[in-house]
Amino acid sequence: MKYTTKIYSSLNPELYCKWKRLWESSPYASLINSPYWTSAVIQTFPDVPCTIIAVYTKDSLNAVIPLWKKRILSVLVYTSIPDHFTYGIPILADVLNNHLIKHLLAEMIQLGPCHFQNTDEQFVGTVNTYLQGLSFARTSTVNYSIDLQNDVDIRHTMSNKSVIFRRIKHISDRFTIRSANNTSDHALEEVFSIDKNSAKQAKGYATFSNTSSRMFYRLLQKEFKSNFLIHFLEYDSKPIAYSIGFVVHNTYIGSQLGYDLSASRFQPGKVLAYKIFEQLKNNSFSHMDLGTGDSHIKHLMSSSHRQLYAITLSRNSLVRNVLPLAINFREKIYTILFSNKKMYFIYKSIFPSV
């Protein structure tokens, strides 16, 4: 089959419509390979050059990947942004179609060095197969999830309910979950309000402390529409915790979770996560994806996880081998400074995220 490639520097209506149809029908759909995510990123970060590689057979869109050109430790690379929110497979294509994937990867590496964070083993294996000797992968973090169709997974989560509800067991009836209208601007304003007084804010790393993060999530809400979900945990009808998640096919993907510092004695984040699990289980979702990273609540909620990877693609051996090590070193520094509010603030001033 003969493929043709088109390179775009913006997202036009025709491409958006074709991309939307491909994403909605593809089993390889993720947040970051969707036209919705791409549109929100382009509008939030207009100064970061965008390149969209689209592969066609005649007039039919077969594969697409959105890329942004930015410096990582002084090296210009093509990547997914914003880097502190990215997770999943960056290409939208049938990864089992050897000819198609080989064509797409060749187009990607022709642009220049590419780097992706928090992608899965299947994508890494595909890249290593078709770009032998031109890629370097390392482990980055983990991803916990619950199979809501699997009795073993469900029993594990339910068996820990008493631990999760330990601090509210005598007053649990005063805590309720509220699902917000996903098109309501007011719901996001409630999220931002809780975030201002959150435990994260107290430690200096509130999710929505900057204008671009708030703008980005407003745009994601607009783009994803009914696939953008907001839940609140209320104590005596007052919202004390929030959760933002996305629906991709029949999977719920948790994105952001925060709670009011004054309510921390109740462990509201854990309580809200469990209540969302109950809702999803009762509404025929197939999976609850708990996002990236390791934490106590994720161990309580899920008994299974998978490894995620960072991968660098480049014809330049120095970039390919040194850049991942430098990024890994920077992340270790980040982990050390994360617990110190002042040092973390200085770090973020030197290495701002996009």
Side-chain angles (χ1 to χ4, degrees):
M1 185 175 292
K2 185 177 180 180
Y3 295 107
T4 58
T5 302
K6 293 182 180 180
I7 307 293
Y8 300 89
S9 59
S10 61
L11 184 55
N12 64 56
E14 181 183 2
L15 175 61
Y16 186 97
C17 290
K18 290 182 178 181
W19 191 345
K20 178 182 175 182
R21 287 196 295 270
L22 178 63
W23 187 83
E24 290 178 346
S25 63
S26 173
Y28 303 103
S30 73
L31 292 180
I32 63 172
N33 66 26
S34 71
Y36 316 122
W37 183 279
T38 302
S39 178
V41 172
I42 289 173
Q43 293 176 74
T44 307
F45 305 101
D47 295 332
V48 183
C50 176
T51 299
I52 301 171
I53 304 175
V55 180
Y56 296 84
T57 51
K58 296 184 178 179
D59 198 41
S60 176
L61 181 64
N62 296 96
V64 62
I65 179 169
L67 298 165
W68 284 266
K69 192 175 184 179
K70 58 169 285 189
R71 290 190 182 276
I72 299 180
L73 297 174
S74 300
V75 179
L76 273 174
V77 299
Y78 290 87
T79 187
S80 302
I81 65 170
D83 52 12
H84 50 297
F85 292 137
T86 58
Y87 153 57
I89 183 169
I91 61 174
L92 180 62
D94 180 359
V95 298
L96 300 180
N97 185 328
N98 298 341
H99 186 40
L100 175 61
I101 294 301
K102 186 175 181 180
H103 180 93
L104 180 60
L105 291 175
E107 294 287 351
M108 287 168 55
I109 203 165
Q110 187 68 27
L111 288 176
C114 299
H115 179 79
F116 303 102
Q117 286 286 123
N118 302 332
T119 191
D120 64 13
E121 187 174 8
Q122 185 176 37
F123 177 68
V124 170
T126 300
V127 170
N128 289 338
T129 297
Y130 296 107
L131 294 178
Q132 291 183 6
L134 298 178
S135 63
F136 181 96
R138 63 173 180 83
T139 58
S140 59
T141 186
V142 291
N143 164 233
Y144 283 82
S145 64
I146 306 167
D147 185 343
L148 298 173
Q149 309 297 319
N150 185 308
D151 289 341
V152 174
D153 275 18
I154 292 173
R155 282 198 300 271
H156 171 87
T157 308
M158 295 180 69
S159 69
N160 286 312
K161 181 177 180 179
S162 61
V163 178
I164 295 169
F165 280 53
R166 176 172 56 89
R167 295 190 182 181
I168 66 166
K169 62 181 179 180
H170 298 304
I171 54 171
S172 59
D173 58 329
R174 297 170 68 180
F175 292 82
T176 55
I177 185 173
R178 171 167 59 91
S179 301
N181 182 340
N182 46 44
T183 61
S184 168
D185 292 336
H186 179 67
L188 266 182
E189 294 308 316
E190 282 189 272
V191 167
F192 300 155
S193 178
I194 294 172
D195 197 62
K196 283 181 181 179
N197 301 301
S198 67
K200 293 180 181 179
Q201 176 66 41
K203 295 177 181 178
Y205 57 91
T207 303
F208 301 109
S209 59
N210 60 74
T211 303
S212 62
S213 293
R214 293 193 296 273
M215 178 181 178
F216 183 53
Y217 269 78
R218 286 189 182 105
L219 289 166
L220 288 175
Q221 180 187 41
K222 177 183 175 183
E223 292 287 343
F224 276 92
K225 297 183 174 64
S226 61
N227 291 326
F228 183 96
L229 303 182
I230 300 175
H231 294 91
F232 293 101
L233 180 70
E234 296 185 337
Y235 173 57
D236 289 342
S237 300
K238 177 188 176 182
I240 60 171
Y242 71 83
S243 175
I244 297 176
F246 299 87
V247 179
V248 176
H249 296 330
N250 211 27
T251 294
Y252 172 88
I253 301 176
S255 176
Q256 301 299 325
L257 181 70
Y259 58 86
D260 192 304
L261 183 61
S262 65
S264 59
R265 65 189 184 280
F266 300 129
Q267 297 186 325
K270 294 179 181 179
V271 174
L272 179 55
Y274 188 87
K275 285 183 173 290
I276 292 172
F277 155 76
E278 290 183 318
Q279 271 201 1
L280 299 175
K281 178 171 63 71
N282 295 330
N283 285 280
S284 302
F285 279 80
S286 63
H287 290 82
M288 180 179 181
D289 187 319
L290 301 178
T292 61
D294 205 345
S295 66
H296 183 229
I297 180 58
K298 292 180 182 180
H299 285 265
L300 292 174
M301 294 286 291
S302 174
S303 59
S304 60
H305 69 273
R306 59 175 179 158
Q307 185 66 57
L308 298 179
Y309 298 85
I311 186 167
T312 303
L313 293 60
S314 179
R315 297 187 186 278
N316 184 316
S317 60
L318 186 64
V319 171
R320 186 172 65 245
N321 294 304
V322 175
L323 181 61
L325 297 176
I327 293 172
N328 187 45
F329 178 70
R330 186 181 73 173
E331 289 175 353
K332 287 183 177 178
I333 295 175
Y334 171 87
T335 302
I336 294 170
L337 299 180
F338 193 65
S339 59
N340 186 301
K341 183 176 179 179
K342 286 186 177 179
M343 294 302 294
Y344 175 79
F345 179 79
I346 294 171
Y347 172 87
K348 294 301 289 183
S349 299
I350 299 172
F351 299 111
S353 298
V354 174

